[in-house]
Amino acid sequence: MGLTSRTLRHWESEGLFKSSRDTSSGWRIYDENALLCIRITAVLRKMDIPIKDIKSVIANKSPSQLSAVIANKISTLKLQRAEVLLFEQQLDRILKLLQKQNADCLSSLDEILTETEDLLMSNLKETNIIKIITLPPMRVAYNIAIGASPEDEAMAPVLDWIKSASLLGTARLFGGNVKPMPSHPGTPYGYGMCATIPDGTDVPKHLKEMMLPGGLYAMLESSDDIGDSWKTLMRHLSKHNKYKSDRSRLCLEEHIRNDNPDGCGSKYYLNLFEPVKLK
């Protein structure tokens, strides 16, 4: 396959497949399933698909999941192309400003820098900070809790189960408010937590199962103030020239594990997803 041993060891350490060893020679042995996983990984890495998305394809091994991952990559490339174009336009405006100032020969470097800073700030305000991405349809196991702060209670049984089922490396964790919706501070509200699971995996009786429909979402990386981040996302979405909120689907918060050890700060980063449709 033209792959180095270092590459194979790295992919295996990421949990994409498993090899065994020949006891007499010490050579690594790859069975048919491992070879399929290696082929999938090799092809998708050539497309610059992230490891976490490759894991979802390997977990499902379905054309629909592969299609969804590639479609999401195309959406990302389109967004990157738009960002590069915007950046080029910003630099062009700054260059024209500098050329004008140079022609005048009257401005000091301090004045030029001040005008450049003002121009950069005005461009930053014009930049759309949300991303439009596609989530695939996902089979999930979920749990709902109601309380004054129900997030941890909703998450605990889901997280315990995916750990015991050895799905922690591949499952994506999503949460979101459910009825009764949050109203006043201190008032009980509902929160649901779900984990994506591959087809054929049995869900324990204490959890429920459903399909998240997927589709187009506006995404924003959350700050520590989740409420303010949601307000920022919705404010920018309200000004979007192409998309608006789709109230027929649930908004989601994806919990992505960070490197903090247990008991040392938050164990998760959050990405916020608001379902959208064409205006």
mmCIF file of all heavy atoms in Angstrom, residues 249-270:
data_model
loop_
_atom_site.group_PDB
_atom_site.id
_atom_site.type_symbol
_atom_site.label_atom_id
_atom_site.label_comp_id
_atom_site.label_asym_id
_atom_site.label_seq_id
_atom_site.Cartn_x
_atom_site.Cartn_y
_atom_site.Cartn_z
ATOM 1 N N ARG A 249 -35.743 20.980 13.722
ATOM 2 C CA ARG A 249 -34.715 20.081 14.251
ATOM 3 C C ARG A 249 -34.114 20.657 15.528
ATOM 4 O O ARG A 249 -34.200 21.855 15.783
ATOM 5 C CB ARG A 249 -33.607 19.856 13.209
ATOM 6 C CG ARG A 249 -34.049 19.061 11.998
ATOM 7 C CD ARG A 249 -32.926 18.940 10.975
ATOM 8 N NE ARG A 249 -32.668 20.226 10.325
ATOM 9 C CZ ARG A 249 -31.457 20.653 9.990
ATOM 10 N NH1 ARG A 249 -30.392 19.925 10.290
ATOM 11 N NH2 ARG A 249 -31.311 21.821 9.378
ATOM 12 N N LEU A 250 -33.494 19.779 16.320
ATOM 13 C CA LEU A 250 -32.925 20.178 17.599
ATOM 14 C C LEU A 250 -31.608 20.907 17.406
ATOM 15 O O LEU A 250 -30.796 20.548 16.548
ATOM 16 C CB LEU A 250 -32.685 18.951 18.486
ATOM 17 C CG LEU A 250 -33.901 18.163 18.971
ATOM 18 C CD1 LEU A 250 -33.439 16.876 19.657
ATOM 19 C CD2 LEU A 250 -34.727 19.007 19.929
ATOM 20 N N CYS A 251 -31.366 21.942 18.219
ATOM 21 C CA CYS A 251 -30.021 22.503 18.295
ATOM 22 C C CYS A 251 -29.179 21.580 19.176
ATOM 23 O O CYS A 251 -29.707 20.872 20.043
ATOM 24 C CB CYS A 251 -30.044 23.927 18.850
ATOM 25 S SG CYS A 251 -30.754 24.072 20.499
ATOM 26 N N LEU A 252 -27.871 21.570 18.949
ATOM 27 C CA LEU A 252 -26.997 20.605 19.605
ATOM 28 C C LEU A 252 -25.754 21.285 20.168
ATOM 29 O O LEU A 252 -25.308 22.315 19.654
ATOM 30 C CB LEU A 252 -26.557 19.523 18.614
ATOM 31 C CG LEU A 252 -27.651 18.700 17.935
ATOM 32 C CD1 LEU A 252 -27.059 17.874 16.804
ATOM 33 C CD2 LEU A 252 -28.358 17.807 18.950
ATOM 34 N N GLU A 253 -25.217 20.674 21.214
ATOM 35 C CA GLU A 253 -23.909 21.059 21.758
ATOM 36 C C GLU A 253 -23.023 19.820 21.729
ATOM 37 O O GLU A 253 -23.302 18.835 22.419
ATOM 38 C CB GLU A 253 -24.044 21.579 23.190
ATOM 39 C CG GLU A 253 -24.909 22.828 23.304
ATOM 40 C CD GLU A 253 -25.221 23.216 24.740
ATOM 41 O OE1 GLU A 253 -24.930 22.419 25.666
ATOM 42 O OE2 GLU A 253 -25.757 24.330 24.947
ATOM 43 N N GLU A 254 -21.970 19.844 20.906
ATOM 44 C CA GLU A 254 -21.073 18.688 20.853
ATOM 45 C C GLU A 254 -19.997 18.836 21.919
ATOM 46 O O GLU A 254 -19.300 19.846 21.991
ATOM 47 C CB GLU A 254 -20.420 18.534 19.491
ATOM 48 C CG GLU A 254 -19.518 17.293 19.428
ATOM 49 C CD GLU A 254 -19.021 16.948 18.050
ATOM 50 O OE1 GLU A 254 -19.069 17.817 17.158
ATOM 51 O OE2 GLU A 254 -18.576 15.799 17.854
ATOM 52 N N HIS A 255 -19.873 17.808 22.750
ATOM 53 C CA HIS A 255 -18.884 17.785 23.827
ATOM 54 C C HIS A 255 -17.644 17.044 23.323
ATOM 55 O O HIS A 255 -17.694 15.848 23.051
ATOM 56 C CB HIS A 255 -19.446 17.076 25.061
ATOM 57 C CG HIS A 255 -20.612 17.793 25.674
ATOM 58 N ND1 HIS A 255 -20.616 18.263 26.968
ATOM 59 C CD2 HIS A 255 -21.824 18.145 25.163
ATOM 60 C CE1 HIS A 255 -21.767 18.854 27.229
ATOM 61 N NE2 HIS A 255 -22.514 18.788 26.149
ATOM 62 N N ILE A 256 -16.523 17.763 23.218
ATOM 63 C CA ILE A 256 -15.280 17.191 22.704
ATOM 64 C C ILE A 256 -14.272 17.159 23.840
ATOM 65 O O ILE A 256 -13.925 18.198 24.409
ATOM 66 C CB ILE A 256 -14.733 18.026 21.533
ATOM 67 C CG1 ILE A 256 -15.792 18.104 20.421
ATOM 68 C CG2 ILE A 256 -13.436 17.432 20.994
ATOM 69 C CD1 ILE A 256 -15.450 19.071 19.324
ATOM 70 N N ARG A 257 -13.805 15.970 24.169
ATOM 71 C CA ARG A 257 -12.895 15.820 25.310
ATOM 72 C C ARG A 257 -11.597 16.586 25.067
ATOM 73 O O ARG A 257 -11.019 16.548 23.985
ATOM 74 C CB ARG A 257 -12.570 14.340 25.564
ATOM 75 C CG ARG A 257 -13.742 13.544 26.135
ATOM 76 C CD ARG A 257 -13.343 12.111 26.453
ATOM 77 N NE ARG A 257 -12.418 12.037 27.571
ATOM 78 C CZ ARG A 257 -12.784 11.972 28.853
ATOM 79 N NH1 ARG A 257 -14.073 11.992 29.173
ATOM 80 N NH2 ARG A 257 -11.897 11.891 29.800
ATOM 81 N N ASN A 258 -11.152 17.318 26.102
ATOM 82 C CA ASN A 258 -9.848 17.970 26.012
ATOM 83 C C ASN A 258 -8.828 17.171 26.825
ATOM 84 O O ASN A 258 -9.103 16.054 27.256
ATOM 85 C CB ASN A 258 -9.946 19.432 26.494
ATOM 86 C CG ASN A 258 -10.379 19.546 27.957
ATOM 87 O OD1 ASN A 258 -10.086 18.674 28.775
ATOM 88 N ND2 ASN A 258 -11.063 20.625 28.299
ATOM 89 N N ASP A 259 -7.654 17.741 27.031
ATOM 90 C CA ASP A 259 -6.575 16.984 27.668
ATOM 91 C C ASP A 259 -6.470 17.229 29.164
ATOM 92 O O ASP A 259 -5.502 16.804 29.791
ATOM 93 C CB ASP A 259 -5.229 17.329 27.010
ATOM 94 C CG ASP A 259 -5.189 16.893 25.557
ATOM 95 O OD1 ASP A 259 -5.808 15.852 25.259
ATOM 96 O OD2 ASP A 259 -4.545 17.574 24.745
ATOM 97 N N ASN A 260 -7.453 17.929 29.750
ATOM 98 C CA ASN A 260 -7.390 18.159 31.188
ATOM 99 C C ASN A 260 -7.596 16.854 31.946
ATOM 100 O O ASN A 260 -8.506 16.095 31.642
ATOM 101 C CB ASN A 260 -8.466 19.158 31.630
ATOM 102 C CG ASN A 260 -8.142 20.576 31.211
ATOM 103 O OD1 ASN A 260 -6.984 20.911 31.043
ATOM 104 N ND2 ASN A 260 -9.170 21.385 31.029
ATOM 105 N N PRO A 261 -6.762 16.567 32.946
ATOM 106 C CA PRO A 261 -6.987 15.366 33.756
ATOM 107 C C PRO A 261 -8.237 15.510 34.603
ATOM 108 O O PRO A 261 -8.741 16.613 34.803
ATOM 109 C CB PRO A 261 -5.724 15.291 34.638
ATOM 110 C CG PRO A 261 -5.244 16.715 34.723
ATOM 111 C CD PRO A 261 -5.595 17.341 33.397
ATOM 112 N N ASP A 262 -8.743 14.378 35.089
ATOM 113 C CA ASP A 262 -9.929 14.411 35.949
ATOM 114 C C ASP A 262 -9.696 15.333 37.137
ATOM 115 O O ASP A 262 -8.637 15.316 37.761
ATOM 116 C CB ASP A 262 -10.267 13.008 36.456
ATOM 117 C CG ASP A 262 -10.799 12.121 35.342
ATOM 118 O OD1 ASP A 262 -11.156 12.678 34.287
ATOM 119 O OD2 ASP A 262 -10.836 10.894 35.520
ATOM 120 N N GLY A 263 -10.693 16.142 37.430
ATOM 121 C CA GLY A 263 -10.596 17.036 38.584
ATOM 122 C C GLY A 263 -9.806 18.301 38.326
ATOM 123 O O GLY A 263 -9.492 19.041 39.247
ATOM 124 N N CYS A 264 -9.443 18.567 37.061
ATOM 125 C CA CYS A 264 -8.636 19.745 36.740
ATOM 126 C C CYS A 264 -9.311 20.536 35.628
ATOM 127 O O CYS A 264 -8.945 20.429 34.467
ATOM 128 C CB CYS A 264 -7.226 19.329 36.331
ATOM 129 S SG CYS A 264 -6.120 20.701 35.958
ATOM 130 N N GLY A 265 -10.319 21.315 35.969
ATOM 131 C CA GLY A 265 -11.012 22.132 34.979
ATOM 132 C C GLY A 265 -11.981 21.324 34.139
ATOM 133 O O GLY A 265 -12.182 20.131 34.349
ATOM 134 N N SER A 266 -12.567 21.990 33.156
ATOM 135 C CA SER A 266 -13.542 21.343 32.292
ATOM 136 C C SER A 266 -12.881 20.258 31.461
ATOM 137 O O SER A 266 -11.787 20.439 30.933
ATOM 138 C CB SER A 266 -14.200 22.374 31.373
ATOM 139 O OG SER A 266 -15.018 21.728 30.424
ATOM 140 N N LYS A 267 -13.554 19.121 31.313
ATOM 141 C CA LYS A 267 -13.017 18.024 30.514
ATOM 142 C C LYS A 267 -13.474 18.096 29.067
ATOM 143 O O LYS A 267 -13.135 17.233 28.277
ATOM 144 C CB LYS A 267 -13.434 16.681 31.121
ATOM 145 C CG LYS A 267 -12.744 16.364 32.435
ATOM 146 C CD LYS A 267 -13.019 14.957 32.893
ATOM 147 C CE LYS A 267 -14.432 14.809 33.417
ATOM 148 N NZ LYS A 267 -14.654 13.457 33.998
ATOM 149 N N TYR A 268 -14.241 19.145 28.723
ATOM 150 C CA TYR A 268 -14.807 19.202 27.376
ATOM 151 C C TYR A 268 -14.730 20.604 26.783
ATOM 152 O O TYR A 268 -14.886 21.597 27.483
ATOM 153 C CB TYR A 268 -16.282 18.766 27.390
ATOM 154 C CG TYR A 268 -16.468 17.337 27.807
ATOM 155 C CD1 TYR A 268 -16.734 17.023 29.134
ATOM 156 C CD2 TYR A 268 -16.369 16.301 26.886
ATOM 157 C CE1 TYR A 268 -16.889 15.703 29.533
ATOM 158 C CE2 TYR A 268 -16.521 14.988 27.276
ATOM 159 C CZ TYR A 268 -16.783 14.692 28.598
ATOM 160 O OH TYR A 268 -16.930 13.390 28.995
ATOM 161 N N TYR A 269 -14.453 20.633 25.472
ATOM 162 C CA TYR A 269 -14.724 21.815 24.665
ATOM 163 C C TYR A 269 -16.126 21.640 24.091
ATOM 164 O O TYR A 269 -16.589 20.516 23.914
ATOM 165 C CB TYR A 269 -13.724 21.945 23.512
ATOM 166 C CG TYR A 269 -12.279 22.042 23.935
ATOM 167 C CD1 TYR A 269 -11.389 21.005 23.668
ATOM 168 C CD2 TYR A 269 -11.797 23.182 24.577
ATOM 169 C CE1 TYR A 269 -10.059 21.092 24.040
ATOM 170 C CE2 TYR A 269 -10.467 23.276 24.956
ATOM 171 C CZ TYR A 269 -9.601 22.227 24.678
ATOM 172 O OH TYR A 269 -8.288 22.320 25.048
ATOM 173 N N LEU A 270 -16.779 22.752 23.744
ATOM 174 C CA LEU A 270 -18.123 22.658 23.164
ATOM 175 C C LEU A 270 -18.159 23.319 21.795
ATOM 176 O O LEU A 270 -17.632 24.425 21.618
ATOM 177 C CB LEU A 270 -19.152 23.342 24.065
ATOM 178 C CG LEU A 270 -19.505 22.664 25.394
ATOM 179 C CD1 LEU A 270 -20.627 23.433 26.071
ATOM 180 C CD2 LEU A 270 -19.907 21.228 25.192
#
